[in-house]
Amino acid sequence: MLKKSTAAFLMIAALLCGSLLTLSVTGYMQISGQAAGQGAISSALNGSSGLDQKEAKKLGTALGLIEGNYYETVDRNKLIDGAVNGMMEALGDPYSNYMGKETAEKFEESIEGSFSGIGAEVSSENGKVVVVSPIKGSPAEKAGIQAKDVILSVNGESLEGLELNAAVAKIRGPKGSKATLKIQRAGSAEPLEFAITRDDVKLETVYARLEKGDVGVIEVTQFSMNTAERFKEELDRLEKQGMKGLVIDVRNDPGGVLPVVIQMAEQFVPSGKTIVQVEDKNKNRELSKSKGSSKAYPVVVLMNKGSASASEILAGALQQSAGAKLIGDNSFGKGTVQTSFDKQLGDGSLLKITIAKWLTPDGTWIHGKGIKPDIAVAQPDYFSVAPINKSATLQYNMNSADVKSAQIMLDGLGYKPGRKDGYFDAATKEAVKKFQSTAKLTVTGIIDAKTAETLEAALIKAIQNPANDNQRNKGIEEIQKEIKSASSNK
Amino acid sequence: MLKKSTAAFLMIAALLCGSLLTLSVTGYMQISGQAAGQGAISSALNGSSGLDQKEAKKLGTALGLIEGNYYETVDRNKLIDGAVNGMMEALGDPYSNYMGKETAEKFEESIEGSFSGIGAEVSSENGKVVVVSPIKGSPAEKAGIQAKDVILSVNGESLEGLELNAAVAKIRGPKGSKATLKIQRAGSAEPLEFAITRDDVKLETVYARLEKGDVGVIEVTQFSMNTAERFKEELDRLEKQGMKGLVIDVRNDPGGVLPVVIQMAEQFVPSGKTIVQVEDKNKNRELSKSKGSSKAYPVVVLMNKGSASASEILAGALQQSAGAKLIGDNSFGKGTVQTSFDKQLGDGSLLKITIAKWLTPDGTWIHGKGIKPDIAVAQPDYFSVAPINKSATLQYNMNSADVKSAQIMLDGLGYKPGRKDGYFDAATKEAVKKFQSTAKLTVTGIIDAKTAETLEAALIKAIQNPANDNQRNKGIEEIQKEIKSASSNK
């Protein structure tokens, strides 16, 4: 997708997408007073029973045969890690994984919602590491790092030519360590230098904003340990500002921690009504019932196919127990609960194991199916168009995937390319000419590299314009309608 | 590919493609008098060293945590198999595999080149199981099963609606067991019944034929234990018939047993010249030198991207040590030797482990690169065209992958569709009309299901016609040229 190339990456987020798709109860027992679901889950946490003699012999024989005979040098630790991986894979469950020490650390940071570093969201733009924004209260913000700053080097090591993940690895470091950043800033002729002491930084997972008509929009990017608290803060703030209705946006939110989403749902689900059901391997069900109360204002939830796990618990609870409408696309469909065993293996590695199913308040298991929106709204097709390969020139009578991309872009920008199936016909040529004229390019009707780049830049602007976010617009519109209908009923 | 839907499947072959891509030395030590390469290989076969305490504890803990906590019932044996699988995967070598008992049996049958059953090649045609040909000397042939017989049921169990693999599983069985087949044969009003006693059947891996101009063509489909012997028989037969030159066809031959291909190469490589080099993990090289002699007639080898492993050893040896030209596409590129350990695990499962590299006579490791043909010849593009989805009707101004398929087919059959990129233009419409007229269909210029089916049937005929096999034709042509040039040099 085009959007990704300029989208912001959290310093930690880039590495986490795979492992984060989880619904964790890791920190579960540590939350005092958080009783919901504990019975069904804690009863399931059983210990080790070890290998019997026959099993140990088979594994030992295999290990020995490999080490003794393989044509290249073998790392025994890798074989043992491979064996644990293989056991997990034998379960056929994509959410049960073994993580080596490094992956385990990053996973736990994401669950905690904090990491140690300087605290800046960065993205990669034309091969440069650009600050999207410093995280509130972070060392980067305190030192004066600003949005659009280009990070040239860290402690004398240039970031030039590095992949974003590799650059982020250089910027991050343990609490208390120093990072000296060389920064290029618009308006400064010489690079600036900042000496920053790294610290624990809380990941921002909640973004709130009051739109016109007093409609609040809260975006939740994942359900980390501190997300419920941050959500409550933002909710209180919007309510104090006179919010009359709320859009909760969990699009592309892969999930997180179970008690956190339960706490969040309690803000909206009336006392005594079910938020989620958890079913253990013996089919025992335990219902998490709300101790909260409902809101006087209307609420809708925006979701899409990237809304998984905890996002789906929130959507299901708010739909079935708080009367909220769900808007957008069908959700991802992950109906299981994992816990991670991070001490037992004794070497920093951990096992994340699926220990239960979760069901919506009415007892539906949405695994593999997802939740259907009450109001289905698709994003425009140009939100997910593939970029144009710039090495070829596209012109009349050609037929290719690149032509198709260009047609979708032209169409999205309001030029009429006639068709969007990849065949470059006369109408497409006319549309290209019109675009070139508007963009002050030489009017040829041919898509060369320059035209393609200009077209893509215009498209990215269109994608980033909230006015084009169909789902968000529909959410706000629906809330406005409900506010109106509630006030006319008074 | 279209061809596959009607191509013949050997009763055993269908299940084996994945595991067969090997270069085995399993039966190696059993071939007496076969000394080549033995030193480098036998020295590598080392025993088991077992798990140390820490390793056993980690694996046991993981097993216990999974068994104790996973949300579904867990089969301990599957976890142990998974662990062995995982160790093999950790090597990152696609040719080192763990095989459970059933897969191991099939693998060994394929290496042996024999299996127990009735011995008939069958294919699936319109959901029916059709005999392509009974294997020479097999129980099926002795009982009178003929090509084109449709097998309706086995021991009273209908084969209707079964996938080919499932049907084959019902037809096969242990030596000595009885299979009563109900057969539908053209010309018989009532189904016929055949009672057949299953027996060991030798897989046919060598197909020979003398073409005009006394050019022999020997196709080798895999290098099983009996392939060298069968190859020698067919070679002798062709030589007695006055063969003046030979085309060896190893296209789509995934490989097989190392000593077998060495024996075969010895038929052509002069005494003392190298056939293949084997390099063990300590970089010790051992050269297999020919004890055979060269042929007085010219030889070429046909290969394609499906020619792997033993096929590549043969191609490399004949090119570098016997002056044979290689014709076709670049070969697959598998330059390693595996052996299987089938006793050590003690439960019928086996480990196939890569124990060495092999190099061509001049010391090149072709792994991942393949061997370049001396004369590159591509097959026509319609040999690999995708079938047309019959649910949609294709017509003027449409643009789709199905239109593209239809255009490639029309072009292959000599109609001129104007373009082959999926855009249905006026020339394509004309070509469809011409085809419909020739095929005595209603002439509409529109591709409906009937036209698509007729088009595909015509294409399959074209693919099966040896006259269209560019690579084979080039091979025969090259041999004819070399025969001519040799005789003019006399």
Side-chain angles (χ1 to χ4, degrees), chain A residues 194-206:
Chain A
F194 294 85
I196 305 177
T197 305
R198 297 184 183 100
D199 199 355
D200 285 335
V201 178
K202 280 191 181 164
L203 262 178
E204 190 50 272
T205 56
V206 179

Side-chain angles (χ1 to χ4, degrees), chain A residues 256-328:
Chain A
V257 184
L258 177 59
V260 168
V261 66
I262 292 173
Q263 265 184 283
M264 286 163 69
E266 277 190 326
Q267 309 285 329
F268 306 97
V269 173
S271 178
K273 290 192 93 172
T274 303
I275 293 170
V276 65
Q277 304 191 27
V278 173
E279 183 180 285
D280 70 13
K281 72 196 300 181
N282 304 316
K283 310 272 171 214
N284 297 321
R285 286 193 191 180
E286 188 159 302
L287 277 57
S288 282
K289 300 212 167 179
S290 178
K291 291 188 232 72
S293 60
S294 63
K295 295 292 183 188
Y297 49 78
V299 178
V300 299
V301 178
L302 301 188
M303 57 182 203
N304 64 11
K305 65 179 197 293
S307 303
S309 204
S311 294
E312 295 175 293
I313 293 185
L314 188 70
L318 266 56
Q319 182 194 44
Q320 294 179 10
S321 298
K325 280 193 179 141
L326 308 182
I327 296 175

Side-chain angles (χ1 to χ4, degrees), chain A residues 44-52 54-74 76-93 96 98 279-281 336 341 344-345 347 349 351 353-357 365 367 397-399 419 421-423, chain B residues 44-52 54-74 76-93 96 98 279-281 336 341 344-345 347 349 351 353-357 365 367 397-399 419 421-423:
Chain A
L45 304 180
N46 297 310
S48 154
S49 54
L51 296 173
D52 68 28
K54 211 180 98 205
E55 291 163 347
K57 185 163 176 288
K58 181 161 182 175
L59 295 176
T61 303
L63 184 75
L65 286 170
I66 296 168
E67 207 182 26
N69 299 293
Y70 191 60
Y71 80 123
E72 288 181 335
T73 312
V74 171
R76 254 182 107 102
N77 288 327
K78 272 200 183 160
L79 294 183
I80 296 295
D81 280 4
V84 181
N85 251 327
M87 283 192 219
M88 300 305 277
E89 271 173 26
L91 295 172
D93 171 26
S96 293
Y98 168 68
E279 183 180 285
D280 70 13
K281 72 196 300 181
T336 54
F341 298 91
Q344 290 83 346
L345 296 177
D347 57 0
S349 63
L351 290 184
I353 298 179
T354 299
I355 56 168
K357 296 177 181 179
W365 195 41
H367 200 71
N397 200 32
M398 284 178 78
N399 188 16
R419 51 201 304 156
D421 65 356
Y423 177 63
Chain B
L45 303 181
N46 297 310
S48 155
S49 54
L51 296 173
D52 69 27
K54 210 181 99 205
E55 292 164 346
K57 185 164 177 286
K58 181 161 182 176
L59 295 175
T61 303
L63 184 75
L65 286 171
I66 296 168
E67 207 181 27
N69 298 293
Y70 190 60
Y71 80 122
E72 288 180 335
T73 311
V74 171
R76 254 183 107 100
N77 288 328
K78 272 199 182 161
L79 293 184
I80 296 296
D81 281 4
V84 181
N85 252 326
M87 283 192 219
M88 300 306 276
E89 271 173 27
L91 295 172
D93 171 26
S96 293
Y98 169 67
E279 183 180 284
D280 70 13
K281 72 194 302 179
T336 54
F341 298 91
Q344 289 83 344
L345 296 177
D347 57 0
S349 63
L351 290 185
I353 298 178
T354 300
I355 57 167
K357 296 177 181 180
W365 194 41
H367 200 71
N397 200 32
M398 284 178 78
N399 188 16
R419 53 203 301 157
D421 66 356
Y423 177 64

Side-chain angles (χ1 to χ4, degrees), chain B residues 80-306:
Chain B
I80 296 296
D81 281 4
V84 181
N85 252 326
M87 283 192 219
M88 300 306 276
E89 271 173 27
L91 295 172
D93 171 26
Y95 309 111
S96 293
N97 318 112
Y98 169 67
M99 297 182 201
K101 195 166 176 250
E102 266 187 49
T103 316
E105 278 169 7
K106 286 184 186 126
F107 172 71
E108 298 204 319
E109 278 175 352
S110 109
I111 291 292
E112 290 296 325
S114 76
F115 63 98
S116 80
I118 65 165
E121 243 178 278
V122 293
S123 74
S124 177
E125 288 176 21
N126 303 319
K128 286 177 180 165
V129 178
V130 179
V131 175
V132 174
S133 69
I135 293 173
K136 234 185 295 173
S138 71
E141 194 203 40
K142 288 176 192 158
I145 299 289
Q146 299 178 3
K148 310 239 164 167
D149 282 354
V150 177
I151 308 180
L152 301 174
S153 69
V154 180
N155 294 335
E157 286 188 82
S158 169
L159 303 185
E160 212 185 309
L162 290 186
E163 295 238 2
L164 188 56
N165 278 345
V168 165
K170 290 208 184 295
I171 302 169
R172 289 188 60 187
K175 179 176 173 167
S177 66
K178 281 225 156 48
T180 303
L181 267 53
K182 198 166 267 179
I183 294 279
Q184 182 190 309
R185 183 175 291 172
S188 304
E190 291 297 305
L192 310 172
E193 216 171 78
F194 293 85
I196 304 176
T197 304
R198 298 185 182 99
D199 200 355
D200 284 335
V201 177
K202 280 193 180 164
L203 262 178
E204 189 51 273
T205 56
V206 179
Y207 299 85
R209 196 185 143 102
L210 198 64
E211 296 287 338
K212 61 177 181 219
D214 293 325
V215 178
V217 179
I218 304 187
E219 186 190 352
V220 181
T221 58
Q222 65 186 59
F223 295 83
S224 301
M225 292 298 278
N226 60 344
T227 301
E229 193 188 312
R230 282 283 302 121
F231 184 82
K232 182 77 169 60
E233 280 171 24
E234 294 297 325
L235 191 65
D236 289 349
R237 193 170 63 78
L238 291 176
E239 287 176 353
K240 275 186 199 131
Q241 289 174 22
M243 174 172 69
K244 293 193 184 124
L246 174 65
V247 177
I248 302 175
D249 183 356
V250 293
R251 291 178 298 170
N252 298 318
D253 179 336
V257 184
L258 176 60
V260 168
V261 65
I262 292 174
Q263 265 183 287
M264 286 163 68
E266 277 190 325
Q267 310 285 329
F268 305 97
V269 173
S271 180
K273 289 192 94 173
T274 303
I275 293 170
V276 66
Q277 305 190 28
V278 173
E279 183 180 284
D280 70 13
K281 72 194 302 179
N282 303 316
K283 309 274 171 211
N284 297 321
R285 285 194 191 178
E286 190 159 300
L287 276 59
S288 283
K289 301 212 166 182
S290 178
K291 292 189 232 72
S293 60
S294 63
K295 295 293 184 187
Y297 49 77
V299 178
V300 298
V301 179
L302 302 188
M303 57 182 201
N304 64 11
K305 66 179 197 292

